[in-house]
Amino acid sequence: MSAKIIDGNKIAKSIIESVKNKVKSMKEKPGLALVMVGNNPASEVYVNFKEKDSKEAEFYCERYNLDEKTGEMDLLKLINELNRNPKIHGVLVQLPLPKHIDEKLVTDSILPHKDVDGFTSLNLGNLLSEKTILAPATAIAVIKLIESTGTRIEGKNAVVVGRSNIVGKPVALMLLEKNATITVCHSKTKNIAEYTKKADILVVAVGKANLIKKDMVKEGAVVIDVGINRIGNKLVGDVDFENVKEIAGFITPVPGGVGPMTRAMLMENTLKAVELSSRVLQ
Ligand code: GUN
């Protein structure tokens, strides 16, 4: 049996359409600031997409491309200005930052209600209290893609491979909140296959091309591939898609799976940030 392919492009498109329609009826345009430091080629591609999406949805968008040598204090000053700017509802600083800048310090300088990436300590911490206001876009995308299959998460064995603060850990917490039984595998896990083979839901976010092979996957599993790896001119995920699709029940492709859905979730988070801005003292 061949897996059903989860079409992230299609689902994301309908979400972006609904964001656009909401924006049309808003008095004030959602304002998103995109900040990038240096010339990391992958970051440039991602930020270009985010800018294109926000323009298409008729957001008010400010983009800052700062020099690689920009000092930490100058970056913090810019974020402070954006925090105070009433036209800006969401502030996104693209990661990674150059080595001389403390990423955590910078991320935490964004006001939590403008943190459309959901990366501030407060927003990440809120994942524990089940009172999330702005959660990381990729993690929300993963949950929505699982739910799009009609799979009930409650009671399922969910295995997350990867423990990054921006994907693996938030996804694990969100699945736990939905009453799945969670296992998190990482680079020090002795025999990953032993765990992945038991997964009804398998989420992979490590950045290693084709790490997950067919014999590591349970028949009928929902497989969500967050990885984006470049092999020559081709983009591939962390899952050996061609072979795993023969055994999985549902699987996301790369490209066209989690990526477009993450972008759609960023747009939704920006709409949420507009709503939050009306509930905080300015
Ligand atoms: N770098 C890789 N993924 C992301 C993301 O989702 N947001 C930001 N700001 N940087 C990233």
Side-chain angles (χ1 to χ4, degrees):
M1 195 190 75
S2 195
K4 292 210 172 89
I5 313 296
I6 307 172
D7 188 345
N9 277 323
K10 190 171 157 199
I11 305 169
K13 207 169 158 209
S14 79
I15 293 171
I16 291 178
E17 275 311 309
S18 106
V19 169
K20 279 189 199 168
N21 287 332
K22 282 187 194 141
V23 173
K24 280 196 188 106
S25 66
M26 288 165 84
K27 282 189 291 234
E28 183 188 19
K29 278 189 177 186
L32 178 62
L34 300 169
V35 182
M36 159 168 185
V37 185
N39 315 304
N40 180 315
S43 293
E44 207 150 317
V45 172
Y46 294 138
V47 177
N48 286 346
F49 272 129
K50 291 170 190 177
E51 187 179 19
K52 181 173 156 277
D53 289 341
S54 29
K55 288 194 170 152
E56 249 177 61
E58 299 197 20
F59 284 10
Y60 166 72
C61 183
E62 289 185 8
R63 176 164 176 173
Y64 296 86
N65 289 325
L66 307 183
D67 189 86
E68 178 83 25
K69 295 201 175 70
T70 300
E72 190 174 85
M73 193 44 76
D74 287 328
L75 179 56
L76 291 171
K77 275 187 192 150
L78 170 63
I79 294 170
N80 190 35
E81 280 166 25
L82 296 168
N83 279 340
R84 290 156 175 262
N85 184 344
K87 275 163 71 182
I88 297 294
H89 304 95
V91 179
L92 181 149
V93 178
Q94 188 67 24
L95 305 179
L97 289 168
K99 294 254 173 323
H100 66 279
I101 298 179
D102 180 339
E103 260 178 24
K104 189 76 191 140
L105 182 73
V106 167
T107 304
D108 272 341
S109 72
I110 300 170
L111 282 173
H113 65 273
K114 292 197 175 190
D115 169 30
V116 285
D117 257 329
F119 290 174
T120 56
S121 299
L122 188 118
N123 281 325
L124 286 174
N126 274 343
L127 291 173
L128 294 177
S129 70
E130 295 158 24
K131 290 238 179 336
T132 316
I133 45 166
L134 289 167
T138 307
I140 312 172
V142 167
I143 301 294
K144 293 229 169 168
L145 288 169
I146 297 167
E147 289 178 338
S148 78
T149 66
T151 302
R152 197 173 148 76
I153 294 175
E154 181 162 314
K156 294 290 189 313
N157 284 335
V159 174
V160 180
V161 185
R163 56 172 161 179
S164 72
N165 289 336
I166 62 178
V167 185
K169 287 180 199 164
V171 166
L173 288 170
M174 286 174 151
L175 288 166
L176 181 62
E177 198 191 324
K178 292 189 176 287
N179 299 319
T181 302
I182 308 297
T183 305
V184 180
C185 298
H186 47 78
S187 53
K188 301 287 186 279
T189 302
K190 288 280 188 306
N191 182 357
I192 288 184
E194 192 183 311
Y195 302 96
T196 56
K197 267 195 273 190
K198 294 189 182 130
D200 304 307
I201 296 168
L202 177 60
V203 180
V204 194
V206 284
K208 277 204 178 139
N210 301 322
L211 172 78
I212 302 295
K213 308 284 185 210
K214 184 178 172 185
D215 61 359
M216 298 167 75
V217 176
K218 181 177 175 180
E219 193 171 351
V222 178
V223 180
I224 307 290
D225 189 353
V226 186
I228 301 180
N229 311 287
R230 190 171 286 281
I231 298 190
N233 289 335
K234 214 175 150 214
L235 288 183
V236 299
D238 292 347
V239 176
D240 176 9
F241 180 82
E242 285 308 321
N243 293 308
V244 172
K245 79 173 174 8
E246 288 170 16
I247 187 160
F250 295 90
I251 188 168
T252 56
V254 176
V258 175
M261 197 61 183
T262 296
R263 286 163 50 197
M265 292 304 105
L266 176 65
M267 314 296 287
E268 283 209 329
N269 269 358
T270 308
L271 286 192
K272 263 194 205 162
V274 176
E275 195 198 319
L276 291 168
S277 73
S278 64
R279 291 163 49 197
V280 290
L281 285 174
Q282 305 280 353

